[in-house]
Amino acid sequence: MLTVFLQMLSLLLMIGTGCLMTRKGMLDEHTSGQVSKMVVNVFNPLLFFSSAANAVGSIALDTMLQISLIAVGMFVFFIIAGMILTPFFDKDADQRKIYQMMFVFSNLGFIGIPVVNSILGSEYVVYVTEFLVVYNIFFYTYGITVMDGSFSLSSLKTMVNPGMVCSVLAMAVILLGIQVPEFIKTAATYLGNAASPLALVLVGFSLMHADIKSILKETRLYLFSLIKLLILPLLMLPVLRMVTDDAAVISVCMVMFGMPVGNMILMLGNERGIDGTTCGAAIILSTVLCVFTVPVILLAVG
């Protein structure tokens, strides 16, 4: 547990570096926006691809299928839990939509990848890729339906993005056993390695622009974070153990179960004119708290 906690502290130090860079004027709205685009559209996708390219021949196909099914099960469980618990957190119709989304959609990319990469190793990032493919499918179908009250085929167009394309390519590389040329793997690996620290630096930028005092006063968000980051993941652990006895698979899946609230919810809410104050506060608070909850989750895994 101490080892995991120290690894999480190293991630917190990277977030702190982002805070310091923001204070020193190295990061502003424009710069962070451009870096965010690079992480989402270039570095993260290449991390998926390089992880898969380096793992060819080392991951069984039945394991890949198993993780995909676990990912689907995770989202279904969180959807049901959100439907049950959301009414207790807010009475406003729009804010209920936000809470429902916050229960379901976690920060599997920006935070999940650095955590898995740092604690378990880069070879397991390919597992995260499967979660992200399933995430995209649920977000652009179920998520859009929740926010709009109806489903539109036009929303599916946004599923075609660099992250999704590289995720599918990564899956193809693994499933077909494609040997990627060494010079391509080297370039993709070096570029992909930039994803984790840059993503955490951007979290630090967001933290510096948050109203920390207001966030700390939101007692319901502490309860929400406790349920989201700890209680729900631990409830899923016994079921996960019945599905697989692979320690690495269990560890990666449990990390995915315990990730903080994702940024995409805030962006989607802003597009639809929904007040994002609560969502923004939940993103910051749950991201900081996961530094302490992830070690507890992995301790439970054993």
Side-chain angles (χ1 to χ4, degrees):
M1 183 175 180
L2 178 61
T3 302
V4 175
F5 181 69
L6 291 175
Q7 287 291 343
M8 292 301 293
L9 279 184
S10 72
L11 303 186
L12 195 60
L13 285 175
M14 285 186 248
I15 294 174
T17 302
C19 293
L20 181 62
M21 291 170 69
T22 303
R23 181 180 290 276
K24 295 294 184 181
M26 299 180 196
L27 271 178
D28 55 22
E29 291 285 348
H30 174 73
T31 307
S32 67
Q34 294 304 308
V35 173
S36 181
K37 288 178 183 177
M38 287 190 286
V39 171
V40 171
N41 296 306
V42 180
F43 299 129
N44 259 355
L46 286 174
L47 183 58
F48 306 156
F49 180 76
S50 65
S51 176
N54 289 312
V56 170
S58 63
I59 300 176
L61 297 184
D62 58 342
T63 301
M64 299 290 286
L65 176 61
Q66 188 178 63
I67 292 172
S68 296
L69 294 175
I70 290 170
V72 171
M74 178 190 82
F75 281 102
V76 171
F77 175 74
F78 282 157
I79 286 171
I80 295 170
M83 288 178 175
I84 295 170
L85 297 171
T86 290
F88 296 101
F89 284 94
D90 211 301
K91 295 180 179 180
D92 180 77
D94 281 343
Q95 291 305 308
R96 282 191 177 189
K97 292 179 182 178
I98 293 293
Y99 268 102
Q100 177 65 27
M101 294 284 282
M102 290 196 302
F103 270 112
V104 178
F105 298 107
S106 305
N107 201 334
L108 304 184
F110 260 40
I111 302 299
I113 290 173
V115 172
V116 170
N117 198 15
S118 176
I119 295 175
L120 302 173
S122 60
E123 63 271 27
Y124 295 109
V125 173
V126 68
Y127 294 168
V128 181
T129 299
E130 293 193 68
F131 275 89
L132 288 168
V133 170
V134 177
Y135 176 102
N136 273 282
I137 294 170
F138 272 89
F139 188 86
Y140 291 108
T141 52
Y142 173 77
I144 297 294
T145 302
V146 168
M147 296 297 279
D148 292 346
S150 61
F151 175 70
S152 171
L153 288 175
S154 61
S155 65
L156 295 179
K157 294 178 182 177
T158 50
M159 285 178 64
V160 183
N161 54 63
M164 190 65 165
V165 170
C166 276
S167 295
V168 173
L169 284 175
M171 301 276 279
V173 165
I174 289 290
L175 295 175
L176 301 176
I178 299 171
Q179 292 294 334
V180 178
E182 197 63 37
F183 73 95
I184 294 178
K185 282 198 294 187
T186 300
T189 300
Y190 283 146
L191 288 168
N193 286 342
S196 296
L198 285 177
L200 294 167
V201 164
L202 291 173
V203 172
F205 174 81
S206 298
L207 191 60
M208 288 297 290
H209 287 80
D211 188 347
I212 302 299
K213 290 183 179 179
S214 297
I215 293 173
L216 294 177
K217 292 177 182 177
E218 282 282 352
T219 54
R220 62 180 173 168
L221 290 183
Y222 287 97
L223 177 60
F224 167 80
S225 297
L226 177 65
I227 295 171
K228 165 81 175 166
L229 300 177
L230 209 55
I231 295 176
L232 292 181
L234 291 178
L235 285 175
M236 296 174 73
L237 180 57
V239 179
L240 186 58
R241 289 194 190 280
M242 290 189 286
V243 174
T244 179
D245 58 359
D246 188 317
V249 171
I250 292 174
S251 296
V252 172
C253 291
M254 287 301 292
V255 169
M256 293 293 98
F257 297 167
M259 285 296 94
V261 177
N263 298 21
M264 289 290 289
I265 304 164
L266 183 60
M267 297 178 194
L268 195 62
N270 287 340
E271 285 179 7
R272 282 147 181 78
I274 297 175
D275 180 20
T277 304
T278 298
C279 184
I283 291 170
I284 294 297
L285 183 62
S286 61
T287 299
V288 173
L289 290 178
C290 83
V291 172
F292 305 98
T293 56
V294 167
V296 175
I297 287 174
L298 290 179
L299 178 65
V301 171

